[in-house]
Amino acid sequence: MSDKTIENLMNEAREYDPPQEMLEQANLTAEKYEQACRDAELDPEGFWAERARKLLDWKRDFSTTLESDSEKHEYKWFGGGRLNASENCLDRHLKNGRRNKAALIWQGEPEEDVRVFTYHMLHRKVCRFANVLKKMGVSKGDRVAIYLPMVPELAISMLACARIGAVHSVIFAGFSAVSLQNRIIDCDAKILIAADGVLRGGKKILLKRNVDEALFECPSVEQVIMVKRTGDEIDFIEGRDTWWHEELSASDIEDFCKPESMRSDDPLFILHTSGSTGKAKGIEHTTGGYMTIVAHTAKWVFDLKDDDVHWCTADIGWITGHSYSVYGPLALGATTLLFEGVPTYPRPDRYWEIINRYGVNIFYTTPTAIRALMREGSQWTEKYDLSTLRILGSVGEPINPEVWVWFYEHVGKGKLPVLDTWWQTETGGILISPLPYVGKLKPGSTGKPLPGIKTKIVNNDGSNASTNEGGHLLITEPWPGMLSSIHKDRARYNRTYFERFPGSYETGDGARIDEEGFHWIMGRLDDVINVSGHRLGTTEIESALIAHPDVTEAAVVGIPHEIKGQTVYAYVTLRSGLDQDEEMRMALRDWVGKKIGPIAIPETIQFSEGLPKTRSGKIVRRILRRIAAGEDDLGDTATLSDASVINDLIEGQKILFE
Ligand code: WT7
């Protein structure tokens, strides 16, 4: 690609002209889109009600679309309605001609590990496992924690919980024993579903040890159901641990399990995400609203069709996998692909090889993965015929225009829409995104809010920002799929999302809107950093560091990173007399890995004697961020109680990067 093309693509909006046959098959044509915008503008509730009724099977129709109590920040969607998420993802497809179609294709890390489940087979497994849970005494409203790698049992567990009205709480298998424990305690899970280990990048990582460690202090957990993945010998705790395969094949387990009739506002799941304090927030999602937003966005943004193979590469441990590997595609009766491995193992062509092998149509991934693959070179993409692809998507962090263009040129071959989709754990589904065949695309922009979604950008004082001026991104109207609460912490829910800018939902992101209404996300405005698209609270990492016996003080900031978007940079003050050396750094890294998980390990640790603070003793991270990034302009330092620490910090940073 010539430099000229890159420049054009980066500076100008791309008038994307989809081939005629793509337009003809689109779920949402330009004309329908315009109509949807008008409908949603005139009668937003009517618009959402129509989507909910069209896309889902309701056991009982809802009588109200939205009941709002803006004082209490309560937004109740589809009141009076009853439905079951697992029934919507499975049972209805047994009757509409999809019974023998692949619902789930699983590609394990070893090439030969492939499992395919038709809708009939997946339904059978989910029903049987739901019966196992019932046999263990799990009933409606109980919480079930799931700590599994990317294996089919993960999706089966979630759907089985949904079937009986149990609330699942998936915990990313990369989290440490401590993080696992905190999350289990927060949701008082009755059952834990886990695996012996994980296969990753050609290595085996044991998980059972984390399970045992975590469960030392989780009195709520009565039983542990273990999935055999690596086959390593593991210790079993008599009376507590059982094998998944043995439970599932027990002779008293029946093939059918009646789906529980759930109210729209019954919780479907809890998923923890980091916030700006040390404790992770358990985001609660309800059944009716969540299922509506995921089915709706899968249909319009990904233009999902019956013949499609939809591949979202995210781990199901994050919201992306919940919404676009499991609930969204299955609700629409599509084929979803799960991949256990990593993009670069055994070779950096793994993604392209999988796309080719299964004829993937929709490919949804992260800027981090694209950057890593881009670095390996475009020759890897050229080895394979990728012509089944129809839509490319990106999520989780800002995608730099160069990376967008590479994705567009080398994976999309200059023919496919690249959709930069913006959303959060809290929003349940995509809220801001270009639509594949409607309007133009601007590399680096997440496009406009979807019909029915209203945003605005405000300054610190709440006044409206002008065009192209950066500020706080707010969502000004409720939408189906918005979180219903933070588990066990209503006050934090109110404070985090609704109190600073009354009347709107505060996303925590900075953004600007250009003259054409395109949104440009600038990153988090709170103490949250985004490493490889994973949200990490800086305070969470600081708490972990401070808990180390040799550490007296710590401050953590994010700095830009070529591949991961951001990485963790930690300033650490040690107890006096200790050696500030590589050995100590290793020990601290290891410690953070154990406390939180490998993703939180600081890439850089700078030892410091003091930190910049305000007179009231608050660490000024703004300055630390600039020092860490090697910036010359540190901004206003007048408010510091002792500005003399600054020079030492700058020196220290220089030495590290010499
Ligand atoms: C945060 C939410 C949504 C699924 C994955 C992450 C950032 C998300 C984009 C995007 C720029 C993005 C935001 C957001 N983010 N999508 N397209 N462009 N930034 O879910 O862990 O809840 O994180 O990810 O900062 O607030 P999450």
Side-chain angles (χ1 to χ4, degrees):
M1 189 174 28
S2 70
D3 287 350
K4 179 90 188 80
T5 330
I6 298 184
E7 218 161 87
N8 284 345
L9 280 164
M10 279 165 53
N11 296 336
E12 293 160 29
R14 231 205 99 77
E15 293 292 346
Y16 169 70
D17 286 322
Q20 194 55 30
E21 70 267 21
M22 282 197 191
L23 275 179
E24 278 162 14
Q25 56 85 61
N27 281 330
L28 196 71
T29 55
E31 208 178 309
K32 267 169 110 184
Y33 168 74
E34 304 290 338
Q35 186 61 45
C37 292
R38 281 194 297 271
D39 292 348
E41 189 68 43
L42 284 173
D43 176 14
E45 288 186 27
F47 169 79
W48 289 118
E50 203 233 25
R51 295 307 290 155
R53 290 198 176 102
K54 191 166 186 156
L55 293 166
L56 301 175
D57 279 4
W58 295 81
K59 279 178 186 297
R60 189 169 86 198
D61 191 18
F62 46 91
S63 46
T64 56
T65 300
L66 172 65
E67 291 159 70
S68 304
D69 180 338
S70 44
E71 297 267 287
K72 290 194 187 139
H73 315 301
E74 239 170 55
Y75 302 96
K76 200 171 138 186
W77 284 91
F78 311 123
R82 284 188 172 267
L83 76 167
N84 181 286
S86 127
E87 194 174 17
N88 270 284
C89 289
L90 301 168
D91 304 51
R92 60 175 173 158
H93 307 311
L94 303 182
K95 292 171 277 179
N96 59 13
R98 300 187 178 114
R99 190 173 79 95
N100 286 321
K101 138 177 201 185
L104 193 158
I105 300 173
W106 177 72
Q107 171 67 63
E109 180 164 281
E111 209 170 290
E112 62 286 4
D113 281 6
V114 176
R115 291 164 76 190
V116 180
F117 297 81
T118 63
Y119 271 97
H120 172 87
M121 292 158 76
L122 190 61
H123 178 262
R124 174 70 53 102
K125 286 266 185 217
V126 168
C127 280
R128 288 187 69 95
F129 190 64
N131 285 327
V132 169
L133 292 174
K134 273 174 130 175
K135 181 173 149 189
M136 291 187 172
V138 179
S139 54
K140 191 166 162 174
D142 286 342
R143 268 85 55 218
V144 173
I146 306 175
Y147 185 58
L148 289 174
M150 285 287 277
V151 290
E153 287 79 1
L154 176 47
I156 294 168
S157 303
M158 293 160 75
L159 292 165
C161 289
R163 197 159 189 92
I164 61 172
V167 180
H168 60 70
S169 174
V170 178
I171 298 142
F172 174 55
F175 275 126
S176 68
V178 182
S179 294
L180 173 63
Q181 182 179 71
N182 289 336
R183 284 160 174 77
I184 295 176
I185 291 176
D186 188 53
C187 68
D188 299 303
K190 192 166 183 167
I191 302 279
L192 171 64
I193 305 163
D196 51 359
V198 181
L199 297 183
R200 214 177 152 74
K203 289 189 229 92
K204 281 185 190 176
I205 303 164
L206 283 188
L207 284 185
K208 181 61 163 58
R209 240 197 324 254
N210 288 355
V211 169
D212 291 338
E213 240 180 275
L215 292 188
F216 269 135
E217 276 174 64
C218 294
S220 62
V221 175
E222 295 166 8
Q223 296 256 263
V224 180
I225 306 174
M226 295 295 300
V227 173
K228 190 178 263 189
R229 176 60 191 126
T230 57
D232 284 288
E233 205 160 304
I234 53 173
D235 292 333
F236 252 50
I237 296 194
E238 205 55 48
R240 188 195 75 182
D241 300 350
T242 57
W243 282 116
W244 168 289
H245 56 274
E246 285 175 9
E247 293 295 336
L248 206 66
S249 59
S251 57
D252 57 345
I253 293 299
E254 288 178 8
D255 288 337
F256 181 71
C257 169
K258 192 167 167 291
E260 205 48 62
S261 164
M262 304 299 285
R263 290 159 46 126
S264 284
D265 60 341
D266 275 331
L268 177 62
F269 63 85
I270 297 171
L271 182 62
H272 286 88
T273 183
S274 296
S276 45
T277 70
K279 191 169 178 282
K281 310 179 273 198
I283 304 299
E284 284 183 356
H285 278 289
T286 61
T287 311
Y290 176 79
M291 288 304 290
T292 300
I293 198 75
V294 296
H296 165 68
T297 47
K299 184 111 190 165
W300 280 10
V301 179
F302 297 125
D303 191 49
L304 267 186
K305 299 293 165 33
D306 252 347
D307 281 350
D308 282 339
V309 176
H310 174 80
W311 184 19
C312 162
T313 66
D315 194 289
I316 295 177
W318 311 101
I319 190 70
T320 316
H322 280 56
S323 302
Y324 299 110
S325 286
V326 182
Y327 289 111
L330 295 179
L332 297 184
T335 301
T336 186
L337 181 93
L338 296 191
F339 172 49
E340 184 185 37
V342 297
T344 46
Y345 180 85
R347 280 177 312 272
D349 62 352
R350 198 71 203 272
Y351 276 6
W352 322 129
E353 188 265 332
I354 292 175
I355 290 172
N356 173 273
R357 181 190 296 211
Y358 298 104
V360 170
N361 305 92
I362 320 289
F363 179 57
Y364 191 34
T365 191
T366 60
T368 292
I370 307 167
R371 285 191 289 258
L373 292 168
M374 179 175 160
R375 192 171 66 169
E376 300 289 345
S378 49
Q379 73 277 13
W380 295 103
T381 63
E382 277 145 29
K383 273 175 64 189
Y384 299 93
D385 175 2
L386 305 178
S387 61
T388 52
L389 288 173
R390 201 172 80 240
I391 291 172
L392 305 177
S394 159
V395 65
E397 31 169 338
I399 177 164
N400 13 359
E402 313 83 271
V403 177
W404 192 106
V405 170
W406 186 86
F407 198 29
Y408 178 82
E409 289 289 328
H410 293 283
V411 184
K413 313 293 176 196
K415 287 199 290 230
L416 307 182
V418 171
L419 310 177
D420 180 3
T421 64
W422 179 93
W423 57 297
Q424 310 177 298
T425 306
E426 292 88 339
T427 70
I430 297 167
L431 297 192
I432 307 174
S433 170
L435 288 160
Y437 311 117
V438 178
K440 57 186 169 190
L441 305 166
K442 297 188 186 186
S445 162
T446 59
K448 300 177 188 178
L450 299 181
I453 304 298
K454 296 265 181 221
T455 58
K456 75 172 174 189
I457 309 289
V458 298
N459 301 311
N460 284 336
D461 63 5
S463 60
N464 288 339
S466 358
T467 302
N468 275 320
E469 191 187 358
H472 301 263
L473 171 66
L474 309 182
I475 317 285
T476 60
E477 297 296 330
W479 67 97
M482 64 193 293
L483 78 164
S484 56
S485 199
I486 292 179
H487 192 60
K488 288 190 196 158
D489 202 345
R490 194 69 188 176
R492 188 172 180 193
Y493 163 84
N494 294 336
R495 201 170 56 238
T496 311
Y497 306 113
F498 298 101
E499 282 172 1
R500 177 154 183 205
F501 301 108
S504 292
Y505 165 87
E506 182 184 353
T507 65
D509 277 4
R512 67 180 169 90
I513 303 180
D514 71 15
E515 46 292 299
E516 289 180 295
F518 281 68
H519 287 49
W520 300 79
I521 308 293
M522 297 151 74
R524 301 288 307 188
L525 294 174
D526 50 9
D527 292 325
V528 169
I529 52 181
N530 197 326
V531 179
S532 309
H534 301 318
R535 224 206 273 189
L536 293 168
T538 49
T539 8
E540 201 175 336
I541 308 171
E542 287 167 6
S543 309
L545 284 166
I546 292 162
H548 190 280
D550 294 340
V551 174
T552 57
E553 196 164 48
V556 165
V557 295
I559 57 165
H561 185 271
E562 214 183 311
I563 304 276
K564 300 176 188 172
Q566 282 189 302
T567 51
V568 179
Y569 189 111
Y571 294 88
V572 171
T573 311
L574 297 176
R575 276 193 302 115
S576 59
L578 291 172
D579 287 337
Q580 305 183 352
D581 56 9
E582 218 29 58
E583 199 181 324
M584 179 60 86
R585 285 198 177 89
M586 295 272 281
L588 294 176
R589 285 205 182 96
D590 198 43
W591 173 267
V592 173
K594 288 216 173 79
K595 286 270 173 196
I596 304 176
I599 45 168
I601 293 178
E603 173 124 334
T604 312
I605 295 180
Q606 176 177 348
F607 294 113
S608 62
E609 295 304 330
L611 295 171
K613 290 187 187 156
T614 60
R615 287 187 186 90
S616 60
K618 215 171 161 253
I619 296 173
V620 187
R621 289 202 185 72
R622 168 178 54 85
I623 293 178
L624 290 174
R625 244 189 311 268
R626 294 187 183 188
I627 296 176
E631 287 176 28
D632 293 327
D633 175 14
L634 300 184
D636 184 13
T637 53
T639 53
L640 299 182
S641 64
D642 173 14
S644 69
V645 296
I646 299 284
N647 277 340
D648 287 349
L649 290 170
I650 295 174
E651 281 308 304
Q653 191 269 353
K654 287 217 177 90
I655 292 167
L656 277 175
F657 285 89
E658 243 164 28

